[in-house]
Amino acid sequence: MDEDKLNEMLGRFVGDLGATITAGGVVIGHRLGLYRALADGPGTADELAHRTGCDPRYVAEWLRGQGAGGYVTYDAEADSWSMTEEQAFVLANPDGAVYAPGAYVLALGSLQAIDRIEEAYRTGAGVGWHEHDEDVFVGCEQFFRPGYHANLVPSWIPALDDVQAKLEAGAKVADVGCGLGASTILLAEQFPQARLMGCDYHDGSIELARKRAADAGVSERIDFEVASAQDFGGSGYDLVTTFDCLHDMGDPVGAARHIRQSLADDGTWLIVEPAAGDTVAANQNPVGRVYYGFSTFLCVPNALSQSGGYSLGAQAGEKAIGEVVAQAGFTRFRRAAETPFNLVFEARP
Ligand SMILES: C[S@@+](CC[C@H](N)C(=O)[O-])C[C@H]1O[C@@H](n2cnc3c(N)ncnc32)[C@H](O)[C@@H]1O
């Protein structure tokens, strides 16, 4: 055995073990507003406990662990805690471009299904999206919404041929597999003339999407319906969108065919999928690790719970998505944009 390599492996394990147990602390910090309160200004553990109405002894231990992980900053002389701008950017603003606690809510919510997933490994059975803990739905929204806010309107829509002008003029839009409607609501807010329909096969998600739309004051302009990607209603759409859901489906080709039929002749399908290379080897990296982890608990089991015979997994990549699109009869397919977490494709009939 090579001692250096062994130490490297042990170091990796200690880091990962710390991250795993810290996930609980991050979710607690998110729920109790500890990050937000600390981002407002430095303080001792007692001061932070007072600001948030929490118990000082628990808050002290939370801060010590968060500091050891680099999520907050310790001033040993003053025995006081603070957050750098960068720490606050990633941890304290649910409406910013990145909100890491949302990802941890999703991760912990996914792990609630560990017994069922273990059993599924033995039997090969699927586990549907709708069978998961509610934190999966809410965490998914919290994880993805910041990225949509940062990219959808400023970068992704302008990268598509002719779509921005159509949206401004009042395009007919279907957001398929919309979950809690983060993308649908954002489109309604940014393009007041657009007529929007959002659908998801999971009724619980659609119920929450309706509430979110009402809170945002756009419920009059979005029709949410419980429907699968293979049978949602309406036709003549100028734009159909699928955000991080095509690879979740057991029959993505059936979905793609239905989307093609539902589009206007010059309509556009915007496909947002996780960032991935085309080969397993290309995805042996930290982003691949994150997505393969979620894929094991969420995407592959969901696809296997549906009819169709596909289970693309979250790291499907451009080639696999392009093949689905081509099988459904789309003649044009291109990568329009990308971020560290997403690939953005445009498909036209
Ligand atoms: C990872 S979530 C993404 C949700 C949402 N688009 C977002 O970006 O926040 C995947 C979504 O796909 C939905 N889904 C899975 N299979 C589906 C199907 N066959 N038809 C419609 N929706 C489906 C799930 O219910 C879930 O809401």
Side-chain angles (χ1 to χ4, degrees):
M1 219 169 12
D2 181 316
E3 202 170 324
D4 289 341
K5 285 185 183 161
L6 176 62
N7 284 333
E8 191 190 315
M9 187 63 211
L10 288 171
R12 186 183 289 266
F13 151 67
V14 172
D16 286 354
L17 183 61
T20 304
I21 192 62
T22 295
V26 175
V27 171
I28 284 175
H30 154 77
R31 287 191 187 158
L32 298 177
L34 295 168
Y35 293 116
R36 274 197 309 279
L38 192 61
D40 282 346
T44 62
D46 281 357
E47 284 163 355
L48 185 63
H50 183 71
R51 268 185 234 164
T52 53
C54 293
D55 178 82
R57 183 64 191 89
Y58 278 101
V59 171
E61 209 70 356
W62 182 83
L63 282 164
R64 292 166 190 168
Q66 294 289 312
Y71 279 26
V72 304
T73 304
Y74 184 46
D75 177 344
E77 245 171 58
D79 192 24
S80 164
W81 300 89
S82 64
M83 291 179 88
T84 63
E85 264 184 63
E86 296 76 20
Q87 287 165 338
F89 181 83
V90 174
L91 291 158
N93 181 6
D95 297 319
V98 182
Y99 187 56
Y104 284 94
V105 171
L106 175 60
L108 284 194
S110 305
L111 295 179
Q112 300 285 336
I114 192 161
D115 292 344
R116 291 212 53 189
I117 298 295
E118 180 193 335
E119 187 56 19
Y121 271 64
R122 292 203 182 87
T123 63
V127 179
W129 185 263
H130 61 282
E131 296 178 75
H132 283 277
D133 187 271
E134 185 167 299
D135 269 358
V136 167
F137 321 135
V138 174
C140 182
E141 176 201 29
Q142 289 168 345
F143 181 31
F144 287 121
R145 194 170 62 99
Y148 300 158
H149 270 260
N151 298 296
L152 178 57
V153 173
S155 314
W156 298 347
I157 298 282
L160 305 174
D161 287 340
D162 303 333
V163 169
Q164 170 120 8
K166 285 187 193 168
L167 283 167
E168 283 164 359
K172 186 172 174 185
V173 182
D175 188 12
V176 174
C178 68
L180 271 58
S183 47
T184 337
I185 291 165
L186 182 60
L187 288 169
E189 286 172 337
Q190 296 295 322
F191 300 103
Q193 306 303 323
R195 294 155 292 150
L196 289 128
M197 187 281 285
C199 70
D200 198 289
Y201 95 97
H202 176 221
D203 55 356
S205 289
I206 289 297
E207 203 178 306
L208 286 172
R210 288 190 180 119
K211 281 194 192 129
R212 299 283 195 274
D215 291 345
V218 292
S219 53
E220 299 292 294
R221 294 198 289 103
I222 307 175
D223 282 330
F224 282 112
E225 67 174 65
V226 178
S228 84
Q230 292 79 7
D231 66 9
F232 64 89
S235 60
Y237 290 107
D238 300 298
L239 176 67
V240 173
T241 57
T242 51
F243 289 89
D244 196 59
C245 60
L246 186 66
H247 68 269
D248 287 309
M249 298 175 192
D251 185 10
V253 175
R257 283 203 185 101
H258 186 66
I259 288 168
R260 186 169 173 272
Q261 281 160 16
S262 76
L263 279 172
D265 290 344
D266 63 346
T268 300
W269 178 16
L270 166 64
I271 308 163
V272 178
E273 282 289 303
D278 288 329
T279 62
V280 173
N283 296 321
Q284 298 299 297
N285 55 52
V287 172
R289 187 186 192 197
V290 167
Y291 277 127
Y292 280 127
F294 282 121
S295 191
T296 314
F297 275 80
L298 302 174
C299 315
V300 167
N302 183 69
L304 293 176
S305 77
Q306 300 182 353
S307 59
Y310 274 81
S311 53
L312 289 167
Q315 293 289 272
E318 179 165 357
K319 190 164 167 284
I321 299 297
E323 280 165 11
V324 166
V325 170
Q327 279 181 61
F330 284 86
T331 58
R332 283 174 291 167
F333 175 74
R334 71 178 177 99
R335 187 190 295 203
E338 63 191 283
T339 71
F341 277 103
N342 292 110
L343 295 180
V344 179
F345 305 109
E346 174 178 35
R348 314 274 304 243

mmCIF file of all heavy atoms in Angstrom, residues 195-230:
data_model
loop_
_atom_site.group_PDB
_atom_site.id
_atom_site.type_symbol
_atom_site.label_atom_id
_atom_site.label_comp_id
_atom_site.label_asym_id
_atom_site.label_seq_id
_atom_site.Cartn_x
_atom_site.Cartn_y
_atom_site.Cartn_z
ATOM 1 N N ARG A 195 -49.184 33.559 -22.258
ATOM 2 C CA ARG A 195 -50.247 32.705 -21.697
ATOM 3 C C ARG A 195 -49.609 31.374 -21.338
ATOM 4 O O ARG A 195 -49.070 30.689 -22.215
ATOM 5 C CB ARG A 195 -51.356 32.498 -22.729
ATOM 6 C CG ARG A 195 -52.108 33.798 -23.076
ATOM 7 C CD ARG A 195 -52.727 33.718 -24.456
ATOM 8 N NE ARG A 195 -51.733 33.683 -25.522
ATOM 9 C CZ ARG A 195 -51.894 33.073 -26.689
ATOM 10 N NH1 ARG A 195 -52.991 32.416 -26.947
ATOM 11 N NH2 ARG A 195 -50.943 33.091 -27.602
ATOM 12 N N LEU A 196 -49.648 31.026 -20.049
ATOM 13 C CA LEU A 196 -48.860 29.889 -19.583
ATOM 14 C C LEU A 196 -49.681 28.733 -19.047
ATOM 15 O O LEU A 196 -50.695 28.946 -18.371
ATOM 16 C CB LEU A 196 -47.924 30.362 -18.459
ATOM 17 C CG LEU A 196 -46.787 31.248 -18.941
ATOM 18 C CD1 LEU A 196 -46.734 32.533 -18.152
ATOM 19 C CD2 LEU A 196 -45.473 30.516 -18.824
ATOM 20 N N MET A 197 -49.206 27.536 -19.342
ATOM 21 C CA MET A 197 -49.758 26.320 -18.748
ATOM 22 C C MET A 197 -48.577 25.583 -18.116
ATOM 23 O O MET A 197 -47.518 25.452 -18.737
ATOM 24 C CB MET A 197 -50.403 25.456 -19.838
ATOM 25 C CG MET A 197 -51.157 24.234 -19.349
ATOM 26 S SD MET A 197 -50.133 22.831 -18.921
ATOM 27 C CE MET A 197 -49.668 22.213 -20.529
ATOM 28 N N GLY A 198 -48.741 25.127 -16.859
ATOM 29 C CA GLY A 198 -47.707 24.316 -16.220
ATOM 30 C C GLY A 198 -48.308 22.976 -15.854
ATOM 31 O O GLY A 198 -49.442 22.915 -15.365
ATOM 32 N N CYS A 199 -47.597 21.891 -16.128
ATOM 33 C CA CYS A 199 -48.145 20.575 -15.772
ATOM 34 C C CYS A 199 -47.075 19.689 -15.156
ATOM 35 O O CYS A 199 -45.878 19.858 -15.414
ATOM 36 C CB CYS A 199 -48.779 19.890 -16.976
ATOM 37 S SG CYS A 199 -47.598 19.344 -18.204
ATOM 38 N N ASP A 200 -47.548 18.779 -14.325
ATOM 39 C CA ASP A 200 -46.684 17.774 -13.722
ATOM 40 C C ASP A 200 -47.574 16.588 -13.398
ATOM 41 O O ASP A 200 -48.760 16.766 -13.077
ATOM 42 C CB ASP A 200 -46.038 18.326 -12.440
ATOM 43 C CG ASP A 200 -44.825 17.524 -12.011
ATOM 44 O OD1 ASP A 200 -44.999 16.371 -11.541
ATOM 45 O OD2 ASP A 200 -43.701 18.033 -12.147
ATOM 46 N N TYR A 201 -47.013 15.397 -13.481
ATOM 47 C CA TYR A 201 -47.847 14.220 -13.178
ATOM 48 C C TYR A 201 -48.159 14.127 -11.686
ATOM 49 O O TYR A 201 -49.117 13.470 -11.277
ATOM 50 C CB TYR A 201 -47.161 12.945 -13.700
ATOM 51 C CG TYR A 201 -46.333 12.218 -12.658
ATOM 52 C CD1 TYR A 201 -46.845 11.137 -11.950
ATOM 53 C CD2 TYR A 201 -45.041 12.633 -12.356
ATOM 54 C CE1 TYR A 201 -46.112 10.483 -10.973
ATOM 55 C CE2 TYR A 201 -44.295 11.990 -11.388
ATOM 56 C CZ TYR A 201 -44.828 10.908 -10.699
ATOM 57 O OH TYR A 201 -44.099 10.284 -9.727
ATOM 58 N N HIS A 202 -47.365 14.833 -10.832
ATOM 59 C CA HIS A 202 -47.507 14.717 -9.378
ATOM 60 C C HIS A 202 -48.481 15.771 -8.840
ATOM 61 O O HIS A 202 -48.186 16.970 -8.863
ATOM 62 C CB HIS A 202 -46.120 14.874 -8.731
ATOM 63 C CG HIS A 202 -46.171 14.858 -7.241
ATOM 64 N ND1 HIS A 202 -45.423 15.702 -6.465
ATOM 65 C CD2 HIS A 202 -46.915 14.095 -6.384
ATOM 66 C CE1 HIS A 202 -45.680 15.459 -5.193
ATOM 67 N NE2 HIS A 202 -46.573 14.494 -5.121
ATOM 68 N N ASP A 203 -49.643 15.317 -8.370
ATOM 69 C CA ASP A 203 -50.678 16.260 -7.935
ATOM 70 C C ASP A 203 -50.225 17.136 -6.759
ATOM 71 O O ASP A 203 -50.562 18.313 -6.687
ATOM 72 C CB ASP A 203 -51.995 15.524 -7.604
ATOM 73 C CG ASP A 203 -51.814 14.409 -6.585
ATOM 74 O OD1 ASP A 203 -50.656 14.148 -6.182
ATOM 75 O OD2 ASP A 203 -52.819 13.785 -6.191
ATOM 76 N N GLY A 204 -49.428 16.554 -5.835
ATOM 77 C CA GLY A 204 -48.962 17.343 -4.681
ATOM 78 C C GLY A 204 -48.101 18.520 -5.109
ATOM 79 O O GLY A 204 -48.180 19.623 -4.540
ATOM 80 N N SER A 205 -47.270 18.320 -6.131
ATOM 81 C CA SER A 205 -46.432 19.415 -6.629
ATOM 82 C C SER A 205 -47.301 20.496 -7.277
ATOM 83 O O SER A 205 -47.064 21.696 -7.085
ATOM 84 C CB SER A 205 -45.404 18.903 -7.666
ATOM 85 O OG SER A 205 -44.409 18.142 -7.020
ATOM 86 N N ILE A 206 -48.311 20.069 -8.032
ATOM 87 C CA ILE A 206 -49.178 21.046 -8.707
ATOM 88 C C ILE A 206 -49.964 21.873 -7.675
ATOM 89 O O ILE A 206 -50.129 23.093 -7.831
ATOM 90 C CB ILE A 206 -50.116 20.332 -9.721
ATOM 91 C CG1 ILE A 206 -49.290 19.842 -10.913
ATOM 92 C CG2 ILE A 206 -51.255 21.228 -10.181
ATOM 93 C CD1 ILE A 206 -48.615 20.937 -11.735
ATOM 94 N N GLU A 207 -50.372 21.205 -6.606
ATOM 95 C CA GLU A 207 -51.082 21.940 -5.538
ATOM 96 C C GLU A 207 -50.175 23.046 -4.968
ATOM 97 O O GLU A 207 -50.591 24.203 -4.799
ATOM 98 C CB GLU A 207 -51.434 20.943 -4.435
ATOM 99 C CG GLU A 207 -52.587 21.349 -3.570
ATOM 100 C CD GLU A 207 -52.869 20.258 -2.546
ATOM 101 O OE1 GLU A 207 -53.050 19.091 -2.948
ATOM 102 O OE2 GLU A 207 -52.858 20.585 -1.365
ATOM 103 N N LEU A 208 -48.895 22.687 -4.705
ATOM 104 C CA LEU A 208 -47.960 23.690 -4.180
ATOM 105 C C LEU A 208 -47.655 24.765 -5.229
ATOM 106 O O LEU A 208 -47.491 25.946 -4.902
ATOM 107 C CB LEU A 208 -46.654 23.020 -3.721
ATOM 108 C CG LEU A 208 -46.752 22.239 -2.411
ATOM 109 C CD1 LEU A 208 -45.477 21.447 -2.148
ATOM 110 C CD2 LEU A 208 -47.014 23.185 -1.233
ATOM 111 N N ALA A 209 -47.579 24.363 -6.494
ATOM 112 C CA ALA A 209 -47.314 25.336 -7.572
ATOM 113 C C ALA A 209 -48.428 26.384 -7.616
ATOM 114 O O ALA A 209 -48.159 27.584 -7.786
ATOM 115 C CB ALA A 209 -47.203 24.618 -8.916
ATOM 116 N N ARG A 210 -49.678 25.925 -7.451
ATOM 117 C CA ARG A 210 -50.807 26.884 -7.459
ATOM 118 C C ARG A 210 -50.657 27.879 -6.310
ATOM 119 O O ARG A 210 -50.889 29.075 -6.482
ATOM 120 C CB ARG A 210 -52.136 26.138 -7.353
ATOM 121 C CG ARG A 210 -52.480 25.387 -8.636
ATOM 122 C CD ARG A 210 -53.919 24.851 -8.608
ATOM 123 N NE ARG A 210 -54.210 24.132 -9.839
ATOM 124 C CZ ARG A 210 -54.538 22.838 -9.919
ATOM 125 N NH1 ARG A 210 -54.660 22.116 -8.821
ATOM 126 N NH2 ARG A 210 -54.763 22.268 -11.084
ATOM 127 N N LYS A 211 -50.248 27.369 -5.136
ATOM 128 C CA LYS A 211 -50.061 28.269 -3.975
ATOM 129 C C LYS A 211 -48.943 29.266 -4.246
ATOM 130 O O LYS A 211 -49.062 30.461 -3.963
ATOM 131 C CB LYS A 211 -49.699 27.450 -2.732
ATOM 132 C CG LYS A 211 -50.886 26.797 -2.083
ATOM 133 C CD LYS A 211 -50.517 26.298 -0.677
ATOM 134 C CE LYS A 211 -51.606 25.388 -0.158
ATOM 135 N NZ LYS A 211 -51.164 24.110 0.343
ATOM 136 N N ARG A 212 -47.833 28.778 -4.812
ATOM 137 C CA ARG A 212 -46.694 29.666 -5.101
ATOM 138 C C ARG A 212 -47.110 30.772 -6.087
ATOM 139 O O ARG A 212 -46.720 31.929 -5.950
ATOM 140 C CB ARG A 212 -45.532 28.891 -5.722
ATOM 141 C CG ARG A 212 -44.949 27.793 -4.849
ATOM 142 C CD ARG A 212 -44.056 28.386 -3.773
ATOM 143 N NE ARG A 212 -43.226 27.388 -3.153
ATOM 144 C CZ ARG A 212 -43.559 26.608 -2.117
ATOM 145 N NH1 ARG A 212 -44.754 26.727 -1.561
ATOM 146 N NH2 ARG A 212 -42.706 25.723 -1.617
ATOM 147 N N ALA A 213 -47.903 30.371 -7.090
ATOM 148 C CA ALA A 213 -48.333 31.349 -8.102
ATOM 149 C C ALA A 213 -49.239 32.398 -7.466
ATOM 150 O O ALA A 213 -49.136 33.597 -7.778
ATOM 151 C CB ALA A 213 -49.041 30.645 -9.255
ATOM 152 N N ALA A 214 -50.112 31.943 -6.552
ATOM 153 C CA ALA A 214 -50.996 32.898 -5.870
ATOM 154 C C ALA A 214 -50.160 33.859 -5.035
ATOM 155 O O ALA A 214 -50.389 35.079 -5.049
ATOM 156 C CB ALA A 214 -51.998 32.141 -4.997
ATOM 157 N N ASP A 215 -49.171 33.336 -4.308
ATOM 158 C CA ASP A 215 -48.301 34.200 -3.489
ATOM 159 C C ASP A 215 -47.566 35.221 -4.353
ATOM 160 O O ASP A 215 -47.304 36.348 -3.916
ATOM 161 C CB ASP A 215 -47.252 33.362 -2.726
ATOM 162 C CG ASP A 215 -47.910 32.520 -1.636
ATOM 163 O OD1 ASP A 215 -49.080 32.795 -1.304
ATOM 164 O OD2 ASP A 215 -47.254 31.581 -1.139
ATOM 165 N N ALA A 216 -47.205 34.807 -5.572
ATOM 166 C CA ALA A 216 -46.461 35.703 -6.465
ATOM 167 C C ALA A 216 -47.395 36.640 -7.234
ATOM 168 O O ALA A 216 -46.927 37.503 -7.992
ATOM 169 C CB ALA A 216 -45.612 34.891 -7.446
ATOM 170 N N GLY A 217 -48.700 36.436 -7.068
ATOM 171 C CA GLY A 217 -49.674 37.313 -7.733
ATOM 172 C C GLY A 217 -49.821 37.049 -9.224
ATOM 173 O O GLY A 217 -50.236 37.929 -9.970
ATOM 174 N N VAL A 218 -49.501 35.810 -9.671
ATOM 175 C CA VAL A 218 -49.612 35.529 -11.109
ATOM 176 C C VAL A 218 -50.566 34.354 -11.395
ATOM 177 O O VAL A 218 -50.567 33.826 -12.505
ATOM 178 C CB VAL A 218 -48.223 35.235 -11.743
ATOM 179 C CG1 VAL A 218 -47.354 36.475 -11.746
ATOM 180 C CG2 VAL A 218 -47.519 34.077 -11.051
ATOM 181 N N SER A 219 -51.363 33.966 -10.390
ATOM 182 C CA SER A 219 -52.191 32.769 -10.599
ATOM 183 C C SER A 219 -53.221 32.958 -11.713
ATOM 184 O O SER A 219 -53.627 31.993 -12.354
ATOM 185 C CB SER A 219 -52.872 32.337 -9.300
ATOM 186 O OG SER A 219 -53.554 33.409 -8.746
ATOM 187 N N GLU A 220 -53.602 34.210 -11.968
ATOM 188 C CA GLU A 220 -54.571 34.469 -13.051
ATOM 189 C C GLU A 220 -53.994 34.113 -14.419
ATOM 190 O O GLU A 220 -54.736 33.865 -15.363
ATOM 191 C CB GLU A 220 -54.927 35.969 -13.091
ATOM 192 C CG GLU A 220 -55.573 36.501 -11.845
ATOM 193 C CD GLU A 220 -56.957 35.927 -11.664
ATOM 194 O OE1 GLU A 220 -57.800 36.236 -12.506
ATOM 195 O OE2 GLU A 220 -57.172 35.168 -10.699
ATOM 196 N N ARG A 221 -52.655 34.120 -14.496
ATOM 197 C CA ARG A 221 -52.046 33.972 -15.830
ATOM 198 C C ARG A 221 -51.391 32.611 -16.062
ATOM 199 O O ARG A 221 -50.756 32.401 -17.075
ATOM 200 C CB ARG A 221 -51.042 35.115 -16.059
ATOM 201 C CG ARG A 221 -51.784 36.453 -16.111
ATOM 202 C CD ARG A 221 -50.986 37.533 -16.736
ATOM 203 N NE ARG A 221 -49.903 37.958 -15.882
ATOM 204 C CZ ARG A 221 -48.635 37.624 -16.052
ATOM 205 N NH1 ARG A 221 -48.275 36.867 -17.034
ATOM 206 N NH2 ARG A 221 -47.722 38.073 -15.234
ATOM 207 N N ILE A 222 -51.533 31.702 -15.096
ATOM 208 C CA ILE A 222 -50.988 30.349 -15.301
ATOM 209 C C ILE A 222 -52.082 29.325 -15.008
ATOM 210 O O ILE A 222 -52.700 29.355 -13.945
ATOM 211 C CB ILE A 222 -49.813 30.040 -14.344
ATOM 212 C CG1 ILE A 222 -48.723 31.111 -14.420
ATOM 213 C CG2 ILE A 222 -49.209 28.674 -14.678
ATOM 214 C CD1 ILE A 222 -47.598 30.919 -13.400
ATOM 215 N N ASP A 223 -52.311 28.411 -15.968
ATOM 216 C CA ASP A 223 -53.188 27.265 -15.710
ATOM 217 C C ASP A 223 -52.304 26.095 -15.329
ATOM 218 O O ASP A 223 -51.529 25.614 -16.156
ATOM 219 C CB ASP A 223 -53.957 26.877 -16.989
ATOM 220 C CG ASP A 223 -55.105 27.816 -17.228
ATOM 221 O OD1 ASP A 223 -55.653 28.334 -16.239
ATOM 222 O OD2 ASP A 223 -55.427 28.030 -18.410
ATOM 223 N N PHE A 224 -52.390 25.669 -14.078
ATOM 224 C CA PHE A 224 -51.634 24.486 -13.680
ATOM 225 C C PHE A 224 -52.532 23.263 -13.816
ATOM 226 O O PHE A 224 -53.692 23.282 -13.382
ATOM 227 C CB PHE A 224 -51.143 24.609 -12.237
ATOM 228 C CG PHE A 224 -49.928 25.494 -12.095
ATOM 229 C CD1 PHE A 224 -50.020 26.714 -11.450
ATOM 230 C CD2 PHE A 224 -48.695 25.099 -12.607
ATOM 231 C CE1 PHE A 224 -48.903 27.532 -11.312
ATOM 232 C CE2 PHE A 224 -47.567 25.914 -12.471
ATOM 233 C CZ PHE A 224 -47.673 27.131 -11.821
ATOM 234 N N GLU A 225 -52.020 22.199 -14.414
ATOM 235 C CA GLU A 225 -52.821 20.983 -14.520
ATOM 236 C C GLU A 225 -51.992 19.757 -14.148
ATOM 237 O O GLU A 225 -50.774 19.736 -14.353
ATOM 238 C CB GLU A 225 -53.432 20.820 -15.923
ATOM 239 C CG GLU A 225 -52.452 20.577 -17.053
ATOM 240 C CD GLU A 225 -53.172 20.285 -18.394
ATOM 241 O OE1 GLU A 225 -53.856 21.195 -18.904
ATOM 242 O OE2 GLU A 225 -53.036 19.164 -18.900
ATOM 243 N N VAL A 226 -52.684 18.778 -13.550
ATOM 244 C CA VAL A 226 -52.023 17.510 -13.246
ATOM 245 C C VAL A 226 -52.075 16.687 -14.525
ATOM 246 O O VAL A 226 -53.144 16.263 -14.963
ATOM 247 C CB VAL A 226 -52.745 16.759 -12.103
ATOM 248 C CG1 VAL A 226 -52.057 15.417 -11.833
ATOM 249 C CG2 VAL A 226 -52.775 17.620 -10.843
ATOM 250 N N ALA A 227 -50.929 16.527 -15.178
ATOM 251 C CA ALA A 227 -50.871 15.765 -16.431
ATOM 252 C C ALA A 227 -49.441 15.344 -16.678
ATOM 253 O O ALA A 227 -48.497 16.029 -16.271
ATOM 254 C CB ALA A 227 -51.362 16.632 -17.607
ATOM 255 N N SER A 228 -49.278 14.224 -17.330
ATOM 256 C CA SER A 228 -47.923 13.756 -17.630
ATOM 257 C C SER A 228 -47.425 14.425 -18.906
ATOM 258 O O SER A 228 -48.208 15.013 -19.672
ATOM 259 C CB SER A 228 -47.899 12.235 -17.783
ATOM 260 O OG SER A 228 -48.280 11.897 -19.089
ATOM 261 N N ALA A 229 -46.132 14.290 -19.132
ATOM 262 C CA ALA A 229 -45.523 14.870 -20.334
ATOM 263 C C ALA A 229 -46.027 14.184 -21.587
ATOM 264 O O ALA A 229 -45.910 14.725 -22.683
ATOM 265 C CB ALA A 229 -44.003 14.731 -20.238
ATOM 266 N N GLN A 230 -46.589 12.983 -21.414
ATOM 267 C CA GLN A 230 -47.042 12.214 -22.574
ATOM 268 C C GLN A 230 -48.495 12.521 -22.938
ATOM 269 O O GLN A 230 -48.968 12.072 -23.979
ATOM 270 C CB GLN A 230 -46.894 10.701 -22.295
ATOM 271 C CG GLN A 230 -45.460 10.221 -22.182
ATOM 272 C CD GLN A 230 -44.811 10.522 -20.824
ATOM 273 O OE1 GLN A 230 -45.466 10.994 -19.893
ATOM 274 N NE2 GLN A 230 -43.514 10.276 -20.723
#
